[in-house]
Amino acid sequence: MQPTIIKAQALDNSNKAVIISKADDLSQLSLNSNELAYIQGKLDADKKLITLNQLSNFLFIVLSDKDGNDELESLRKKGNSIFKTLKGEDLNTVSVLDLKGCTQSTLALAEGIALSAYSFNYKTEGKEKEFALTEVTVQSEVITEDQITELNHIVDSVYITRDLVNTPVDRLNATDIADFMVAQGQKDGFTTEVLNKTKIEALKFGGLLGVNKGSIDPPTFTIMEWKPENAKNTKPYVLVGKGVVFDTGGINLKTPPGSLDTMKCDMGGAASVIGTMAAIAKNKLPIHIIGLVPATDNRPGENAIVPGDILTMHNGLTVEVLNTDAEGRLIMADAISYANKYEPELVIDLATLTGSAVMAIGEYGTVGMGTASDATFAQLEADGYATHERVVRFPFWSDYDELIKSDIADIKNLGSREGGSITAGKFLAKFTNYPWIHLDIAGPSFHLKKSSYRGKGGSGVGVRLLYQFFKGLSK
Ligand code: BES
Ligand code: ZN
Ligand code: ZN
């Protein structure tokens, strides 16, 4: 369960976290001389987070390092440290005090604490003893109720994305994820339409149907739409998310030991699109936005596609399949082609698309590329830094087009080993006819080891980034 963030005065004996920039700020905290001496000692030792046990409660003193190049991120991470202490001491609530009217810093600290409180497991034993942070109180003269509500909705949406990514395929197949979107739409007020296999066949989604051939579960294609009357844009924005609910590699079965273990995460793009739609609808952003999710598992079933097969895609292009593990681009291409019918202002797709993106920059950022304007990329990159869901723009030179040429079809689904994330992007570009950004989130979508407030497993990457980006566009 997500902790509730509320705006309220902190009670006397509640656990408190305060952000200070210099020792003088401590005068507002009515500390006794022993406490002040203790804190001064820590400040002299250059400590940035000081934990004071005041017996009836804990007091966390957070030094904001203004000279650090990412103050908000350092506050989110300190929120994670505070959470760890609360958990260790079995304390279920904390108040964040905004002494100086610093909206962004205070919200970042609260966000770091709230995002750290996520947990996910199927354990049946010891459930009742499991720690839960139930409430984060924000005391502030400047932060509004609306800002607190917005933060609650964002954290809620990140949790939704993480839950989806962490749920294994035996509990989340293509039909389940479509059902989930319908239920989420009913909660948050966006509409949904689920296309079943018959409709997918009628639309000639050769990529999605091809990947699905090895599966005993039918594919789904889900359309989410948020269209408020006060929408600022006339042409819609479209999000597309890769929904490979499990990627075995297909007949080109993934081989290195362990490489299959985390492949439930291969619907991370879909999960981020769902979380972003939820965040936008919950906060009622005045924009018209559509989310598309093609979903299937990728398995080496009896009738599975094999290398050499030729697929005819939704837009009529023929694709030579040379590696069945390059399945993401096949299902994404149909959805990206389908997006043309909306005459979109901008399309952003999110996909755990290539190991090559992970090789290039690791789990620390998202690989971006595409055909949108430099200004649009610059805005997304800036929002990436603000939310610490960083995007690094890769080259998209026409030279790479050579690498996906096929001898017998229009294109092939396999590029070179070198620049593999770019050739995957180039493949998708063949299906676009609009300004477009491709985000390869294979690195940051799923963390093998705990990564501060992002946690272990599904991180929810993309939701905070895209919410911020579209909020900007809605102004
Ligand atoms: N789902 C994988 C990419 C991936 C790798 C996601 C690591 C998350 C973590 C994708 O379908 C894939 O297998 N890509 C291949 C493509 C190759 C065969 C051209 C890859 O990147 O190795
Ligand atoms: Zn694959
Ligand atoms: Zn995949």
Side-chain angles (χ1 to χ4, degrees), residues 124-136:
T124 56
E125 285 170 21
K127 264 272 176 239
E128 58 295 338
K129 285 198 218 108
E130 218 172 82
F131 174 76
L133 183 72
T134 53
E135 201 172 86
V136 178

Side-chain angles (χ1 to χ4, degrees), residues 205-215 219 240-254 259-260 262-270 293-301 304-307 311 313 319-336 349-356 411-415 420 423-425 427-428 431 438 440 442:
F205 280 7
L208 180 55
L209 290 163
V211 174
N212 183 252
K213 276 177 76 183
S215 174
V240 184
K242 172 176 172 182
V244 172
V245 285
F246 194 88
D247 184 10
T248 68
I251 292 293
N252 293 103
L253 197 64
K254 289 184 183 291
S259 62
L260 282 160
T262 58
M263 279 303 137
K264 67 176 182 182
C265 83
D266 214 17
M267 32 56 73
V293 172
T296 178
D297 47 344
N298 180 30
R299 295 197 201 237
I305 48 169
V306 292
L311 303 176
M313 310 294 282
V319 173
E320 181 185 11
V321 176
L322 283 177
N323 191 319
T324 61
D325 197 11
E327 85 299 336
R329 65 197 76 181
L330 297 173
I331 76 162
M332 290 297 279
D334 283 332
I336 281 172
D349 83 76
L350 292 98
T352 49
L353 204 63
T354 66
S356 178
I411 44 172
K412 56 181 181 177
N413 81 331
L414 190 63
T423 45
F427 182 96
L428 298 180
F431 300 85
H438 162 57
D440 192 332

Side-chain angles (χ1 to χ4, degrees), residues 359-394:
M359 286 302 151
I361 63 166
E363 65 174 30
Y364 307 107
T366 293
V367 168
M369 64 198 78
T371 57
S373 70
D374 287 344
T376 305
F377 268 103
Q379 185 58 56
L380 190 69
E381 284 166 293
D383 292 329
Y385 284 111
T387 55
H388 206 76
E389 296 197 339
R390 294 166 295 187
V391 176
V392 51
R393 189 177 177 185
F394 271 27

Side-chain angles (χ1 to χ4, degrees), residues 136-152:
V136 178
T137 302
V138 175
Q139 176 185 320
S140 169
E141 304 274 310
V142 292
I143 297 173
T144 63
E145 292 280 356
D146 284 354
Q147 284 172 311
I148 298 293
T149 305
E150 181 182 40
L151 180 59
N152 263 309

